[in-house]
Amino acid sequence: MTEDFYDTLGVSRDASEEEIESAYREAVREYHPDVSDEPDAEEKFKKAKKAKEVLTDDEQRRMYDQMGHEQFVEADKRGATDSGGARGGRGGDPFGGAGGGGFGNMQDIFDQFFGGGSGGGGSRRGKDLKTKLTIDLETAYHGTEKELTVTRPESCDECNGRGHPPGTDSRTCPECNGRGEQTRVQETAFGRMQQRTTCRRCEGEGTIYEERCSTCRGDGVVRNEATLSVEIPAGIQDGMTLRMRGEGAPGEGGARNGDLLVEIKIEDHPEFEREGSDLQTRKAISFPQAVFGDTVELETFDGVVEFDVPEGTQSGETFRLGGKGMPRPQRRGQGDLYVQVQVVTPDSLNEEQREALEAFAEAGGENIEVEQGFFDRLRNSF
Ligand code: ZN
């Protein structure tokens, strides 16, 4: 069994961000390579850092919880889980790459404590965009392809996203001398840190253009309506987020687009209640069915299923129909369906039924007084 990120930090699966931060700080004090002589301290430190990074990022944490440790780490290696531009270039080893001398780690800590690390440069991955999509439970059961219309920023066609008409006169940005970034020196708890930021004057391009594109007013970006097709996997759960690669805001300077994150909301169903991958429902059965036992039919999302209620079933008893619940996303098989039976008391009887029930009550012997009174009332109400 692989240790997951929660184990690494020694926190529960519903730990708050503060708890995670504090567990991480403890790990730093214990395992930071500059303070610990333990042979595997560095490995532990990197692992704690990665765990904290993922679990304090709402979106990454949700993905992590959904995908499970193994799959998440795999996806992370492929670079599929990075959510922000600042992380774009890292990819690689989920635990921060090989080697890592003292300064590298200190830089990492600096980023963690001060939220720094906004690297300059003209090429930046586009922002991730978020939207919501509501589906019903039956759709979640089967999975489907759904159309989704979003209004989002897209690269301006008029100027190809450059923000200026082709052939516009240009000059080197005097603010950054064409480098596109500026360096700032900051005093911190760890000494002097150099921080590089994007040049504000030329917004990282290094060049200033004399004319702006009239369509996008120089932004290179316009808002357009787009209709996309979303693949909804069978068994999707309420609150899960689907990531549509490259459907977010356009990247700058040729960098790739951000992603569109589609949060799925699932409406309550009038008959079926969901608990993870299990479903719960109720089924009415008659008094004779409960007494003698019977095979009962039940309408599900997958057609009619049958189950047996035994002799002497009580109202409120629950039966488990294995494998008849929701499909499990990313795993094989289905959850279970729990059916609570409710014995229906007849609210009107014909003559024959009434006599039969009277005879039944009389045959019961000791309760005859009470039952008699009941049937008297019943008779009077006709
Ligand atoms: Zn334009």
Side-chain angles (χ1 to χ4, degrees), residues 70-187:
E70 236 101 309
Q71 279 201 54
F72 182 89
V73 169
E74 270 309 303
D76 198 45
K77 274 183 193 161
R78 295 193 305 267
T81 63
D82 62 54
S83 58
R87 257 194 296 273
R90 243 184 244 176
D93 179 352
F95 300 129
F103 182 74
N105 283 324
M106 290 309 272
Q107 178 66 59
D108 284 344
I109 293 184
F110 179 81
D111 289 352
Q112 296 299 332
F113 285 173
F114 300 99
S118 67
S123 160
R124 254 175 305 177
R125 210 198 117 190
K127 272 193 186 135
D128 289 342
L129 305 174
K130 290 179 186 177
T131 188
K132 279 182 185 167
L133 182 62
T134 301
I135 58 173
D136 60 30
L137 189 59
E138 185 159 8
T139 303
Y141 180 93
H142 293 292
T144 188
E145 201 170 301
K146 245 190 157 30
E147 282 206 340
L148 175 67
T149 302
V150 288
T151 303
R152 63 177 177 185
E154 289 182 355
S155 184
C156 174
D157 280 342
E158 203 61 37
C159 61
N160 279 324
R162 290 194 194 92
H164 54 87
T168 304
D169 285 342
S170 64
R171 62 193 162 97
T172 301
C173 175
E175 200 79 26
C176 62
N177 292 319
R179 285 199 315 276
E181 56 185 30
Q182 291 163 315
T183 306
R184 227 167 19 143
V185 178
Q186 221 180 341
E187 297 293 338

Side-chain angles (χ1 to χ4, degrees), residues 31-90:
Y31 297 123
H32 192 276
D34 289 355
V35 295
S36 175
D37 294 329
E38 271 187 56
D40 58 347
E42 182 163 343
E43 210 44 51
K44 282 183 174 163
F45 170 71
K46 281 180 183 167
K47 212 170 168 196
K49 183 165 114 54
K50 181 68 193 177
K52 179 254 179 193
E53 218 168 84
V54 171
L55 298 183
T56 53
D57 180 323
D58 284 353
E59 186 200 313
Q60 288 209 64
R61 184 174 180 177
R62 198 166 354 166
M63 286 177 73
Y64 179 78
D65 289 345
Q66 280 161 20
M67 295 169 91
H69 185 79
E70 236 101 309
Q71 279 201 54
F72 182 89
V73 169
E74 270 309 303
D76 198 45
K77 274 183 193 161
R78 295 193 305 267
T81 63
D82 62 54
S83 58
R87 257 194 296 273
R90 243 184 244 176

Side-chain angles (χ1 to χ4, degrees), residues 156 158-161 163-164 213-218 220-221:
C156 174
E158 203 61 37
C159 61
N160 279 324
H164 54 87
C213 170
S214 55
T215 304
C216 62
R217 291 200 207 88
V221 169

